[in-house]
Amino acid sequence: MKHSRDFSQFDGILANGVNHAVIDVDNTITKSNIVQFYLFIKRERLKNRLLWWLFLVYCLAAAPFYLAVDRLSRDWFNHVFVQRKFGKYAYEQLEKYAQRYFEEMLKRQFIVPVHDLIFYLKEKGVQVTLLSTNFDLIVKHYGAYFQVPYVCLPVVKQDSRIRIDFSQLKGFKRNYIQRLNPAMTMAIGDSKYDLPMLEHVHYPIIVANKKKKWMKSIQREAVLIRA
């Protein structure tokens, strides 16, 4: 795959022996989040325009609560929002929605510099792994698209519904990244929730348009990729 972008700054990193790149997904590879997937499903199911607008009003009213929960704890948010909203669907039903969501929405929302960088790193022989606290019905489509392995939360079939397995959620990214040699690994993320992996590696890469307060805890100089 040919690239018009200049990735020479990464050639310097690779020259130091880096052979693994661990990359977050939401708002790192695509401008997306789990709420967007929920809205995609509701729009498909609420064909009546009036019902759709009433639902959007409800979302606006409920948004401050869920935002507050997310700020307090991403783990709480996953339990309070993700399991409650998606757990009522059958596996096959949610799988179909996830495939359509990736094809119709996410493919149009790639953050182009990161998208191209993934293919560039693969060409250079770097092992790319996607690491996400999103669930596998969505993340597996990124893995197939880039043809790379991924680590995320599994979805378990449970009678006529699904259950998202949160048993390994606590310390999820920290537990994974600590298996890797920090001197030979780069990590790419976009938020404070990616700090465990960004702080561990010698080569942190952040997808952001400007420096933010949470980045100060990273001891090594980070490379910024403009979103």
Side-chain angles (χ1 to χ4, degrees):
M1 185 174 182
K2 294 183 178 180
H3 308 280
S4 59
R5 297 180 182 277
D6 179 13
F7 291 122
S8 57
Q9 61 181 327
F10 293 97
D11 289 338
I13 293 174
L14 299 183
N16 292 329
V18 170
N19 58 16
H20 205 139
V22 179
I23 307 177
D24 175 54
V25 173
D26 284 333
N27 287 322
T28 298
I29 298 177
T30 50
K31 294 181 179 179
S32 59
N33 56 57
I34 196 64
V35 176
Q36 185 185 77
F37 180 43
Y38 173 63
L39 293 176
F40 176 83
I41 294 174
K42 296 300 288 189
R43 188 181 65 189
E44 291 299 305
R45 296 174 68 85
L46 295 175
K47 298 297 185 181
N48 183 289
R49 182 170 292 185
L50 176 60
L51 290 177
W52 170 244
W53 283 108
L54 289 173
F55 173 72
L56 289 181
V57 171
Y58 158 76
C59 290
L60 289 173
F65 168 74
Y66 287 115
L67 286 171
V69 171
D70 190 41
R71 288 194 187 100
L72 286 171
S73 169
R74 178 59 58 87
D75 293 358
W76 286 3
F77 177 81
N78 279 321
H79 285 285
V80 171
F81 181 85
V82 179
Q83 181 59 50
R84 286 179 60 188
K85 299 300 184 184
F86 298 104
K88 60 186 177 182
Y89 294 102
Y91 184 94
E92 292 77 11
Q93 186 180 30
L94 200 59
E95 185 176 41
K96 290 179 181 178
Y97 280 130
Q99 182 176 14
R100 286 190 55 200
Y101 174 58
F102 185 81
E103 293 294 331
E104 297 175 21
M105 297 286 293
L106 294 176
K107 277 189 172 181
R108 295 184 292 159
Q109 295 173 185
F110 279 121
I111 296 173
V112 177
V114 181
H115 171 278
D116 292 355
L117 177 61
I118 291 173
F119 285 109
Y120 185 78
L121 293 174
K122 288 183 62 184
E123 289 175 1
K124 295 293 184 177
V126 175
Q127 171 62 63
V128 174
T129 301
L130 308 183
L131 184 63
S132 174
T133 53
N134 205 330
F135 50 86
D136 60 7
L137 290 181
I138 294 177
V139 181
K140 71 178 183 179
H141 293 291
Y142 288 91
Y145 178 87
F146 290 107
Q147 295 188 320
V148 298
Y150 59 90
V151 180
C152 62
L153 300 181
V155 176
V156 181
K157 290 185 180 181
Q158 195 170 42
D159 299 325
S160 61
R161 300 187 176 191
I162 62 102
R163 177 177 61 83
I164 301 167
D165 185 358
F166 291 116
S167 62
Q168 299 181 35
L169 182 59
K170 188 174 182 180
F172 179 80
K173 291 187 176 180
R174 178 178 289 105
N175 294 338
Y176 179 83
I177 200 72
Q178 286 181 347
R179 306 173 191 174
L180 303 177
N181 183 339
M184 301 177 70
T185 308
M186 69 172 68
I188 307 178
D190 72 286
S191 75
K192 63 181 181 181
Y193 300 108
D194 299 315
L195 275 174
M197 63 183 197
L198 295 169
E199 291 176 328
H200 176 74
V201 302
H202 287 191
Y203 304 97
I205 317 294
I206 302 174
V207 180
N209 290 320
K210 61 180 180 180
K211 292 186 176 181
K212 299 178 182 179
K213 290 183 179 179
W214 62 265
M215 299 178 189
K216 294 179 180 179
S217 66
I218 302 174
Q219 298 300 310
R220 298 181 181 274
E221 184 176 357
V223 174
L224 288 186
I225 295 179
R226 305 290 176 180

